[in-house]
Amino acid sequence: GFVPHVIIDTGRNGVVDMRHDCKNWCNIRGAGVGLKPTTETADPEIIDAYFWLKTPGESDGCSQTLPDGMQCPRYDSDCGSEDSLGTRPNEPPAPEAGQWYDYQIKQLAANARLSPSSGVESASTNIIELNSAVGMSIVNTTLHALSVNPFVGRSFYVNPVYSKELGLSISSAEGQTKATLEEMQDVPSAYWLDKKAKILGEGTGTMEGILADAAAKSPPQLVTFIVYDLPNRDCHAKASNGEICCTYNEDGTCDYDAAGDCTAGLAEYKSEYIDTIVSVLQKYASLVPIVLVIEPDSLPNLSTNMADPRCGNSATQTAYKAGVAYAVESIATAAPEVAIYLDAGHGGWLGWKNNMQDYVATIRSLGVTQHLRGFATNVAGYQPLGTMCPTYDWCLNNAHPEDPCCADPCHLTSEWDPSQNEHNYALHLRKAFSEGIAGFVPHVIIDTGRNGVVDMRHDCKNWCNIRGAGVGLKPTTETADPEIID
């Protein structure tokens, strides 16, 4: 004869997915006050009310060290979880259970969802947490970095160094070209970490300085960096060879013919480059939304250019695979808030089905997809966006020649490449990886910095300082398919 009714505590459940692990319960970072007490429930026949039973702002339990500096006699290790307030250097410790926690209540209020249509409801919106040094800051949690488009709802950082460089050309430009260059001064762009010297230091010519500048904005602005300094970098294109080598020639350049396991080069890459980047991310990842694109032109070369001895030798192969795996693992472990995209070339490079299959196998072998948001395509490239087709191979066999999405300025479909534009290449990446690696459903970002003209090349294999090219679409989240393209 017992037919129970229910009341639900909504005092602190206004954010649905702020925890790394839902087993964590003590003074949770990123939480928000939930619905105000009400009898207007989802089903009044079952749920009598939503009510604040645990008073928002009262501590769940103490940090190991109390606010007065004394050791907490009732410290519970669950209050030292990775999701618990008071466990980061910039967070004040939590008082004993039931005592007022000023830092927590301000966070709960900042993230409040007092009514069904207000506040932070899900991972698609920003989570705000408080920082004692800089006030409110927008961050991603690990879950957000993987499951949510990091660009949505953000303002993007415009690098003053790039604006200044444009100014040098504006002074001698005329007419519409000058007007466009002036407009470009306010357009955000990625910053390339192509030298170790660009990581540390003050000013907006370094990663550290850029993040400090972005953190000072209100709200902090999203910054995108290109991680680009592998040993034996860009093995198939001498123009962009890097500063770290598996084996050095006497003049300091890389000896790409030397085989081996690149032990010294990888040690340098890890300790002097990636580990330094990680140290900066640990300082700023909770303050500034950050996106990283990992090592353009590296792993794609292992799928298509193994016949080139510079790419095919054992040292280069080991450097690329071990280096990328270390970069992703180290960054994801130390700064899980950061969204990571791995470089995937472009449709005119890996778009053929056999190339794609090889690339999937390469990425699978690294064991890092659990840390990736997805892939970056057309980085520093000129491939056109085009129009997205219903399927990635819609245009093969001349199946739909009149469909605008089958426009093919590079004549790739006639060579059995279905990815004749970057939109269709994004479809190809999604399908190939979703089927090739269990549980991995990648998202894509596309470089539109230089693909504003679709048919300016005599041969689409040409990639260096292309005559007649134009700047493409300005950075935006309004893409052809936001479910795939961030």
Side-chain angles (χ1 to χ4, degrees), residues 237-251:
K238 294 181 180 180
S240 47
N241 292 167
E243 64 180 350
I244 301 176
C245 302
C246 293
T247 301
Y248 288 92
N249 291 313
E250 290 184 1
D251 63 359

Side-chain angles (χ1 to χ4, degrees), residues 47 73 96 111 133 151 158 177 198 228 297 327-328 346 367 374 439:
I47 304 173
E96 292 209 51
N111 294 328
F151 296 93
V158 178
T177 298
K198 287 186 174 182
Y228 186 59
D297 299 340
V328 173
H346 54 70

Side-chain angles (χ1 to χ4, degrees), residues 203-254:
T204 54
T206 68
M207 178 188 189
E208 188 175 28
I210 287 169
L211 289 173
D213 190 38
K217 310 292 184 182
S218 183
Q221 296 177 334
L222 181 143
V223 183
T224 300
F225 294 103
I226 310 292
V227 176
Y228 186 59
D229 208 15
L230 274 173
N232 285 16
R233 190 178 74 193
D234 211 350
C235 57
H236 196 61
K238 294 181 180 180
S240 47
N241 292 167
E243 64 180 350
I244 301 176
C245 302
C246 293
T247 301
Y248 288 92
N249 291 313
E250 290 184 1
D251 63 359
T253 60
C254 297

Side-chain angles (χ1 to χ4, degrees), residues 346 348 352 383 410 415 457-464 466:
H346 54 70
W352 283 267
Q383 294 300 111
C410 289
E415 300 177 9
R457 290 176 286 183
H458 290 83
D459 187 333
C460 285
K461 294 179 182 178
N462 297 333
W463 56 268
C464 187
I466 299 302

Side-chain angles (χ1 to χ4, degrees), residues 25-320:
W25 56 269
C26 186
N27 301 325
I28 298 301
R29 181 183 300 106
V33 170
L35 300 181
K36 291 186 289 186
T38 179
T39 58
E40 296 179 1
T41 66
D43 187 342
E45 290 297 312
I46 300 174
I47 304 173
D48 287 345
Y50 304 135
F51 206 85
W52 292 0
L53 300 175
K54 167 73 174 180
T55 304
E58 291 184 355
S59 174
D60 291 317
C62 54
S63 304
Q64 191 165 11
T65 302
L66 292 167
D68 62 6
M70 302 295 290
Q71 293 295 300
C72 179
R74 282 169 288 277
Y75 172 67
D76 187 314
S77 61
D78 284 352
C79 292
S81 79
E82 61 183 332
D83 290 314
S84 297
L85 292 171
T87 59
R88 291 181 176 176
N90 57 2
E91 295 172 341
E96 292 209 51
Q99 295 185 8
W100 192 249
Y101 193 3
D102 176 75
Y103 186 76
Q104 182 191 55
I105 190 59
K106 289 175 180 176
Q107 172 195 261
L108 291 170
N111 294 328
R113 184 196 172 209
L114 298 174
S115 63
S117 60
S118 70
V120 176
E121 182 173 7
S122 71
S124 63
T125 55
N126 296 330
I127 286 183
I128 300 175
E129 66 181 52
L130 300 177
N131 178 277
S132 58
V134 298
M136 289 187 181
S137 62
I138 299 178
V139 302
N140 292 315
T141 64
T142 306
L143 180 62
H144 285 63
L146 296 177
S147 64
V148 174
N149 184 345
F151 296 93
V152 168
R154 311 291 195 187
S155 56
F156 305 151
Y157 183 77
V158 178
N159 194 318
V161 172
Y162 180 57
S163 295
K164 185 177 180 179
E165 289 174 338
L166 287 170
L168 299 175
S169 296
I170 289 171
S171 62
S172 58
E174 299 178 350
Q176 185 57 49
T177 298
K178 182 174 184 177
T180 300
L181 288 170
E182 290 173 337
E183 182 179 357
M184 289 169 61
Q185 286 188 298
D186 296 320
V187 175
S189 59
Y191 186 78
W192 287 65
L193 303 175
D194 54 355
K195 295 180 180 179
K196 291 178 282 185
K198 287 186 174 182
I199 303 173
L200 299 178
E202 298 179 355
T204 54
T206 68
M207 178 188 189
E208 188 175 28
I210 287 169
L211 289 173
D213 190 38
K217 310 292 184 182
S218 183
Q221 296 177 334
L222 181 143
V223 183
T224 300
F225 294 103
I226 310 292
V227 176
Y228 186 59
D229 208 15
L230 274 173
N232 285 16
R233 190 178 74 193
D234 211 350
C235 57
H236 196 61
K238 294 181 180 180
S240 47
N241 292 167
E243 64 180 350
I244 301 176
C245 302
C246 293
T247 301
Y248 288 92
N249 291 313
E250 290 184 1
D251 63 359
T253 60
C254 297
D255 181 356
Y256 284 85
D257 295 325
D261 59 7
C262 197
T263 299
L266 280 169
E268 182 181 350
Y269 178 72
K270 293 175 181 180
S271 64
E272 298 183 23
Y273 182 68
I274 293 299
D275 290 354
T276 309
I277 288 174
V278 165
S279 70
V280 175
L281 292 175
Q282 287 177 315
K283 181 179 179 181
Y284 286 102
S286 65
L287 308 179
V288 181
I290 301 170
V291 169
L292 298 182
V293 174
I294 305 296
E295 297 294 353
D297 299 340
S298 56
L299 298 176
N301 271 315
L302 301 188
S303 293
T304 62
N305 291 315
M306 293 294 281
D308 182 341
R310 295 161 55 90
C311 301
N313 76 65
S314 58
T316 299
Q317 291 185 59
T318 302
Y320 287 11

Side-chain angles (χ1 to χ4, degrees), residues 451-480:
N451 69 348
V453 179
V454 301
D455 56 359
M456 68 290 187
R457 290 176 286 183
H458 290 83
D459 187 333
C460 285
K461 294 179 182 178
N462 297 333
W463 56 268
C464 187
N465 299 329
I466 299 302
R467 182 181 298 108
V471 171
L473 299 181
K474 291 188 287 187
T476 180
T477 56
E478 296 178 3
T479 65

